[in-house]
Amino acid sequence: MKHRLHTHIFFPALLVIVLFSVAVCLGFTFTSGRYTRYTAEKRLNVLMQSIDREYSRIYGALPPVESLDHSSQREYAKQLLNQVKERLKHGERDADLLVLNSKKKVVYPSDVSVVSPALQLYEECLHQMEDGSLMPGSPVLLKLSGNPFLVQLYEVKSTGNIRAQYYIGYTRIPDLSLLLSYTWQLLAAIVVICLLLAALAVWLL
């Protein structure tokens, strides 16, 4: 009778442990993607808001850009670029940045070919800008060599050629596929151990 009581208690408890482990893994699997996307958007938003604040500080008290001569437009655009670079230099690196001139040539960083994955990202962004997929406003998801990136465009208004017209903020979304694989392997190990314990309990009881 005592052995039966132990069995009746043991197996439900074992089932609860297995089901709880499965539920935790499923919850982690379904929420991890959303969480990493959310944190990437938050990092990118910090950078883009920083650029917008500097733009408002420099351009806020000026007349409409259309009424400025080209020399003034170039000077204010240069000031904005310098301020943004200063902020990045002093640790505001929540996301990375590409800056293009009016001809869509890279002016920051100075050598895009040595900054991975900036060169590939630049080429993809050019394509997206040309077909209208990448426009100022909401971030866009891009995949480079299988790696997901969030990209957002900030455009400085101008009637002529200026040194820094397009600010492209980007940040990589962490790839959790390997971690998820390890998590499910751990779950499988837990289930196997539980089954072995169950077999042992049946043998002993």
Side-chain angles (χ1 to χ4, degrees):
M1 184 71 176
K2 186 178 179 181
H3 287 175
R4 271 188 194 178
L5 181 61
H6 286 169
T7 304
H8 284 313
I9 295 174
F10 176 78
F11 284 108
L14 190 63
L15 181 62
V16 168
I17 293 173
V18 172
L19 292 178
F20 179 76
S21 301
V22 172
V24 169
C25 288
L26 286 174
F28 179 72
T29 300
F30 289 130
T31 59
S32 58
R34 293 183 181 180
Y35 177 73
T36 54
R37 171 73 182 246
Y38 167 76
T39 54
E41 285 183 353
K42 190 174 180 180
R43 291 196 305 270
L44 185 58
N45 192 47
V46 169
L47 173 63
M48 305 315 287
Q49 285 185 346
S50 174
I51 296 171
D52 188 59
R53 282 195 301 270
E54 289 301 325
Y55 178 88
S56 299
R57 188 180 66 81
I58 294 172
Y59 287 82
L62 297 176
V65 173
E66 294 79 7
S67 65
L68 298 173
D69 59 55
H70 288 168
S71 177
S72 297
Q73 291 184 40
R74 287 194 296 270
E75 179 59 32
Y76 291 126
K78 181 180 178 182
Q79 287 183 30
L80 176 60
L81 176 60
N82 289 337
Q83 288 300 315
V84 171
K85 287 166 66 174
E86 275 298 309
R87 284 186 172 273
L88 292 174
K89 188 184 298 182
H90 288 87
E92 293 195 12
R93 302 292 296 188
D94 298 277
D96 292 297
L97 184 67
L98 287 174
V99 183
L100 316 183
N101 61 20
S102 298
K103 297 179 180 179
K104 296 179 181 175
K105 301 296 183 183
V106 179
V107 297
Y108 179 85
S110 55
D111 189 355
V112 69
S113 63
V114 300
V115 182
S116 177
L119 180 58
Q120 187 180 359
L121 188 94
Y122 164 63
E123 294 171 348
E124 182 61 27
C125 286
L126 278 184
H127 175 72
Q128 297 271 343
M129 290 168 71
E130 288 171 1
D131 66 18
S133 301
L134 180 59
M135 301 177 66
S138 301
V140 174
L141 180 65
L142 298 181
K143 283 199 173 183
L144 304 176
S145 302
N147 298 314
F149 286 82
L150 271 184
V151 178
Q152 188 168 344
L153 175 65
Y154 189 95
E155 183 177 353
V156 177
K157 293 181 180 179
S158 173
T159 59
N161 293 329
I162 56 176
R163 178 170 173 76
Q165 184 166 6
Y166 304 100
Y167 290 76
I168 302 174
Y170 65 96
T171 185
R172 182 176 177 179
I173 301 177
D175 183 5
L176 296 181
S177 58
L178 187 59
L179 178 59
L180 290 174
S181 174
Y182 288 151
T183 301
W184 283 104
Q185 288 176 28
L186 177 61
L187 174 61
I190 292 173
V191 171
V192 169
I193 291 172
C194 288
L195 291 175
L196 289 174
L197 289 175
L200 181 62
V202 170
W203 178 265
L204 294 177
L205 299 178

